PDB file of all heavy atoms in Angstrom:
ATOM      1  N   LEU A 851       1.364  12.626  12.447  1.00 98.00           N
ATOM      2  CA  LEU A 851       2.538  13.355  11.979  1.00 98.00           C
ATOM      3  C   LEU A 851       2.302  13.845  10.555  1.00 98.00           C
ATOM      4  O   LEU A 851       1.477  13.276   9.840  1.00 98.00           O
ATOM      5  CB  LEU A 851       3.774  12.447  12.020  1.00 98.00           C
ATOM      6  CG  LEU A 851       4.131  11.842  13.384  1.00 98.00           C
ATOM      7  CD1 LEU A 851       5.309  10.899  13.248  1.00 98.00           C
ATOM      8  CD2 LEU A 851       4.440  12.942  14.390  1.00 98.00           C
ATOM      9  N   GLU A 852       3.040  14.856  10.140  1.00 98.00           N
ATOM     10  CA  GLU A 852       2.902  15.389   8.782  1.00 98.00           C
ATOM     11  C   GLU A 852       4.104  15.048   7.909  1.00 98.00           C
ATOM     12  O   GLU A 852       4.304  15.653   6.862  1.00 98.00           O
ATOM     13  CB  GLU A 852       2.643  16.891   8.828  1.00 98.00           C
ATOM     14  CG  GLU A 852       1.293  17.210   9.442  1.00 98.00           C
ATOM     15  CD  GLU A 852       0.929  18.682   9.404  1.00 98.00           C
ATOM     16  OE1 GLU A 852       1.674  19.477   8.792  1.00 98.00           O
ATOM     17  OE2 GLU A 852      -0.114  19.031   9.989  1.00 98.00           O
ATOM     18  N   ASP A 853       4.906  14.059   8.309  1.00 98.00           N
ATOM     19  CA  ASP A 853       6.043  13.613   7.501  1.00 98.00           C
ATOM     20  C   ASP A 853       5.510  12.968   6.218  1.00 98.00           C
ATOM     21  O   ASP A 853       4.386  12.468   6.187  1.00 98.00           O
ATOM     22  CB  ASP A 853       6.863  12.569   8.266  1.00 98.00           C
ATOM     23  CG  ASP A 853       7.397  13.078   9.598  1.00 98.00           C
ATOM     24  OD1 ASP A 853       6.953  14.136  10.071  1.00 98.00           O
ATOM     25  OD2 ASP A 853       8.253  12.387  10.172  1.00 98.00           O
ATOM     26  N   ASN A 854       6.347  12.965   5.163  1.00 98.00           N
ATOM     27  CA  ASN A 854       5.940  12.328   3.902  1.00 98.00           C
ATOM     28  C   ASN A 854       5.633  10.853   4.092  1.00 98.00           C
ATOM     29  O   ASN A 854       4.683  10.325   3.504  1.00 98.00           O
ATOM     30  CB  ASN A 854       7.030  12.482   2.844  1.00 98.00           C
ATOM     31  CG  ASN A 854       7.078  13.865   2.244  1.00 98.00           C
ATOM     32  OD1 ASN A 854       6.263  14.723   2.570  1.00 98.00           O
ATOM     33  ND2 ASN A 854       8.044  14.087   1.373  1.00 98.00           N
ATOM     34  N   VAL A 855       6.469  10.185   4.893  1.00 98.00           N
ATOM     35  CA  VAL A 855       6.309   8.756   5.174  1.00 98.00           C
ATOM     36  C   VAL A 855       6.556   8.552   6.662  1.00 98.00           C
ATOM     37  O   VAL A 855       7.507   9.105   7.209  1.00 98.00           O
ATOM     38  CB  VAL A 855       7.316   7.902   4.373  1.00 98.00           C
ATOM     39  CG1 VAL A 855       7.137   6.418   4.684  1.00 98.00           C
ATOM     40  CG2 VAL A 855       7.185   8.146   2.875  1.00 98.00           C
ATOM     41  N   VAL A 856       5.696   7.765   7.305  1.00 98.00           N
ATOM     42  CA  VAL A 856       5.861   7.453   8.720  1.00 98.00           C
ATOM     43  C   VAL A 856       5.906   5.932   8.862  1.00 98.00           C
ATOM     44  O   VAL A 856       5.006   5.231   8.395  1.00 98.00           O
ATOM     45  CB  VAL A 856       4.709   8.030   9.575  1.00 98.00           C
ATOM     46  CG1 VAL A 856       4.838   7.583  11.024  1.00 98.00           C
ATOM     47  CG2 VAL A 856       4.677   9.556   9.471  1.00 98.00           C
ATOM     48  N   VAL A 857       6.989   5.449   9.489  1.00 98.00           N
ATOM     49  CA  VAL A 857       7.128   4.020   9.756  1.00 98.00           C
ATOM     50  C   VAL A 857       7.088   3.843  11.264  1.00 98.00           C
ATOM     51  O   VAL A 857       7.875   4.446  11.986  1.00 98.00           O
ATOM     52  CB  VAL A 857       8.456   3.466   9.194  1.00 98.00           C
ATOM     53  CG1 VAL A 857       8.566   1.963   9.485  1.00 98.00           C
ATOM     54  CG2 VAL A 857       8.566   3.736   7.695  1.00 98.00           C
ATOM     55  N   ASP A 858       6.144   3.051  11.753  1.00 98.00           N
ATOM     56  CA  ASP A 858       6.070   2.724  13.178  1.00 98.00           C
ATOM     57  C   ASP A 858       5.924   1.215  13.278  1.00 98.00           C
ATOM     58  O   ASP A 858       4.852   0.658  13.005  1.00 98.00           O
ATOM     59  CB  ASP A 858       4.901   3.437  13.852  1.00 98.00           C
ATOM     60  CG  ASP A 858       4.942   3.302  15.379  1.00 98.00           C
ATOM     61  OD1 ASP A 858       5.594   2.359  15.890  1.00 98.00           O
ATOM     62  OD2 ASP A 858       4.314   4.129  16.058  1.00 98.00           O
ATOM     63  N   GLY A 859       7.024   0.552  13.616  1.00 97.00           N
ATOM     64  CA  GLY A 859       7.004  -0.910  13.657  1.00 97.00           C
ATOM     65  C   GLY A 859       6.743  -1.453  12.265  1.00 97.00           C
ATOM     66  O   GLY A 859       7.430  -1.093  11.312  1.00 97.00           O
ATOM     67  N   ASN A 860       5.721  -2.292  12.138  1.00 98.00           N
ATOM     68  CA  ASN A 860       5.404  -2.908  10.851  1.00 98.00           C
ATOM     69  C   ASN A 860       4.306  -2.178  10.082  1.00 98.00           C
ATOM     70  O   ASN A 860       3.709  -2.738   9.173  1.00 98.00           O
ATOM     71  CB  ASN A 860       5.001  -4.378  11.056  1.00 98.00           C
ATOM     72  CG  ASN A 860       6.199  -5.258  11.284  1.00 98.00           C
ATOM     73  OD1 ASN A 860       7.339  -4.807  11.238  1.00 98.00           O
ATOM     74  ND2 ASN A 860       5.958  -6.528  11.527  1.00 98.00           N
ATOM     75  N   ILE A 861       4.030  -0.927  10.471  1.00 98.00           N
ATOM     76  CA  ILE A 861       3.030  -0.123   9.765  1.00 98.00           C
ATOM     77  C   ILE A 861       3.721   1.075   9.117  1.00 98.00           C
ATOM     78  O   ILE A 861       4.422   1.839   9.782  1.00 98.00           O
ATOM     79  CB  ILE A 861       1.930   0.381  10.719  1.00 98.00           C
ATOM     80  CG1 ILE A 861       1.159  -0.794  11.321  1.00 98.00           C
ATOM     81  CG2 ILE A 861       0.975   1.326   9.987  1.00 98.00           C
ATOM     82  CD1 ILE A 861       0.078  -0.388  12.319  1.00 98.00           C
ATOM     83  N   THR A 862       3.505   1.226   7.806  1.00 98.00           N
ATOM     84  CA  THR A 862       4.026   2.376   7.070  1.00 98.00           C
ATOM     85  C   THR A 862       2.843   3.139   6.491  1.00 98.00           C
ATOM     86  O   THR A 862       1.954   2.530   5.876  1.00 98.00           O
ATOM     87  CB  THR A 862       4.963   1.927   5.929  1.00 98.00           C
ATOM     88  OG1 THR A 862       6.022   1.145   6.485  1.00 98.00           O
ATOM     89  CG2 THR A 862       5.548   3.133   5.204  1.00 98.00           C
ATOM     90  N   THR A 863       2.843   4.461   6.698  1.00 98.00           N
ATOM     91  CA  THR A 863       1.788   5.306   6.143  1.00 98.00           C
ATOM     92  C   THR A 863       2.435   6.475   5.405  1.00 98.00           C
ATOM     93  O   THR A 863       3.566   6.858   5.686  1.00 98.00           O
ATOM     94  CB  THR A 863       0.836   5.826   7.240  1.00 98.00           C
ATOM     95  OG1 THR A 863       1.610   6.462   8.273  1.00 98.00           O
ATOM     96  CG2 THR A 863       0.024   4.685   7.848  1.00 98.00           C
ATOM     97  N   SER A 864       1.684   7.048   4.461  1.00 98.00           N
ATOM     98  CA  SER A 864       2.191   8.164   3.671  1.00 98.00           C
ATOM     99  C   SER A 864       1.047   9.084   3.295  1.00 98.00           C
ATOM    100  O   SER A 864      -0.126   8.716   3.432  1.00 98.00           O
ATOM    101  CB  SER A 864       2.920   7.625   2.433  1.00 98.00           C
ATOM    102  OG  SER A 864       3.601   8.643   1.740  1.00 98.00           O
ATOM    103  N   ARG A 865       1.369  10.283   2.806  1.00 98.00           N
ATOM    104  CA  ARG A 865       0.399  11.364   2.681  1.00 98.00           C
ATOM    105  C   ARG A 865      -0.422  11.398   1.406  1.00 98.00           C
ATOM    106  O   ARG A 865      -1.575  11.792   1.434  1.00 98.00           O
ATOM    107  CB  ARG A 865       1.109  12.697   2.848  1.00 98.00           C
ATOM    108  CG  ARG A 865       1.851  12.701   4.189  1.00 98.00           C
ATOM    109  CD  ARG A 865       1.883  14.004   4.861  1.00 98.00           C
ATOM    110  NE  ARG A 865       0.564  14.364   5.325  1.00 98.00           N
ATOM    111  CZ  ARG A 865       0.202  15.587   5.653  1.00 98.00           C
ATOM    112  NH1 ARG A 865       1.057  16.559   5.568  1.00 98.00           N
ATOM    113  NH2 ARG A 865      -1.005  15.835   6.082  1.00 98.00           N
ATOM    114  N   GLY A 866       0.159  11.073   0.252  1.00 97.00           N
ATOM    115  CA  GLY A 866      -0.640  11.187  -0.967  1.00 97.00           C
ATOM    116  C   GLY A 866       0.197  11.083  -2.227  1.00 97.00           C
ATOM    117  O   GLY A 866       1.385  10.773  -2.191  1.00 97.00           O
ATOM    118  N   LEU A 867      -0.433  11.398  -3.349  1.00 96.00           N
ATOM    119  CA  LEU A 867       0.192  11.264  -4.653  1.00 96.00           C
ATOM    120  C   LEU A 867       1.593  11.876  -4.691  1.00 96.00           C
ATOM    121  O   LEU A 867       2.525  11.273  -5.214  1.00 96.00           O
ATOM    122  CB  LEU A 867      -0.707  11.939  -5.703  1.00 96.00           C
ATOM    123  CG  LEU A 867      -0.321  11.830  -7.156  1.00 96.00           C
ATOM    124  CD1 LEU A 867      -1.540  11.951  -8.024  1.00 96.00           C
ATOM    125  CD2 LEU A 867       0.706  12.870  -7.537  1.00 96.00           C
ATOM    126  N   GLY A 868       1.780  13.053  -4.114  1.00 97.00           N
ATOM    127  CA  GLY A 868       3.071  13.719  -4.127  1.00 97.00           C
ATOM    128  C   GLY A 868       4.140  13.028  -3.312  1.00 97.00           C
ATOM    129  O   GLY A 868       5.328  13.332  -3.450  1.00 97.00           O
TER     130      GLY A 868
END
Side-chain angles (χ1 to χ4, degrees):
L851 302 176
E852 293 185 6
D853 302 13
N854 284 357
V855 180
V856 175
V857 180
D858 190 338
N860 282 357
I861 297 178
T862 303
T863 53
S864 189
R865 304 215 69 198
L867 185 154

